[in-house]
Amino acid sequence: GTSLITVENLTTYHDEPVCQNAIVYLGGFHNTIRTDLLKRIYAANPDKGYFHKGDIDVYGFVILENLKRKTGIPFLPLEMDLDTLKEFEACHLIKPLNASDRKMLHIPQLSPYQEILTYMEQHDCKAEQESRQALRLLHKK
């Protein structure tokens, strides 16, 4: 395929269309078996695209950073951007931040995502990407 996508949630895994991508379900934080698998795939295919699709919340970004650090693979976030969060917001599929979220918003590890984290803080919102298909169906209405 052309790229590898890791996904945080099982529903997201099942929602991904069959295409030219390999998809690996992580179930949140990856374990050593998945780490080793990803390292082997990357060693044999360093020229492919590597992406991660997780929740648009503090812990989704922590999982992404943990994945990058432990595998050494330059994963890029996929559909974990401000436009995607705003789509969830427009469909009323967001949740308010909790105290734990607010504590984590400004940790140095998450500085690459400060724009979206600032928006989340200002708008008191986060999105769990349990089903992008549901979001697409709501947009059609």
Side-chain angles (χ1 to χ4, degrees):
T2 58
S3 61
L4 181 134
I5 300 170
T6 58
V7 295
E8 180 180 339
N9 300 310
L10 189 57
T11 305
T12 305
Y13 174 80
H14 290 293
D15 272 359
E16 281 301 306
V18 176
C19 58
Q20 295 295 335
N21 300 318
I23 302 169
V24 176
Y25 168 61
L26 297 180
F29 285 97
H30 61 288
N31 59 24
T32 55
I33 293 170
R34 290 184 179 106
T35 299
D36 291 343
L37 171 67
L38 293 170
K39 286 179 176 181
R40 287 175 186 239
I41 291 170
Y42 184 70
N45 301 278
D47 58 325
K48 305 294 181 188
Y50 290 85
F51 302 93
H52 175 74
K53 187 185 286 192
D55 291 341
I56 306 173
D57 64 9
V58 173
Y59 296 99
F61 293 112
V62 169
I63 289 169
L64 172 56
E65 286 301 305
N66 179 273
L67 180 65
K68 289 163 52 175
R69 184 174 37 80
K70 290 195 174 175
T71 63
I73 300 170
F75 281 97
L76 296 173
L78 181 63
E79 296 180 352
M80 295 176 70
D81 56 21
L82 191 51
D83 288 340
T84 304
L85 178 61
K86 287 179 179 181
E87 285 182 55
F88 277 92
E89 190 176 30
C91 293
H92 307 287
L93 294 174
I94 55 169
K95 295 181 179 180
L97 300 174
N98 59 38
S100 178
D101 295 327
R102 290 187 183 284
K103 285 181 189 175
M104 300 277 292
L105 281 171
H106 301 287
I107 61 173
Q109 177 185 6
L110 300 182
S111 61
Y113 315 104
Q114 204 53 57
E115 177 188 16
I116 191 166
L117 295 173
T118 299
Y119 183 90
M120 290 166 54
E121 183 175 37
Q122 291 172 346
H123 295 261
D124 190 28
C125 66
K126 62 183 179 181
E128 295 179 4
Q129 294 202 61
E130 292 298 336
S131 179
R132 292 282 295 162
Q133 293 293 6
L135 183 63
R136 289 180 189 112
L137 289 172
L138 286 170
H139 268 292
K140 289 181 180 181
K141 289 184 177 184

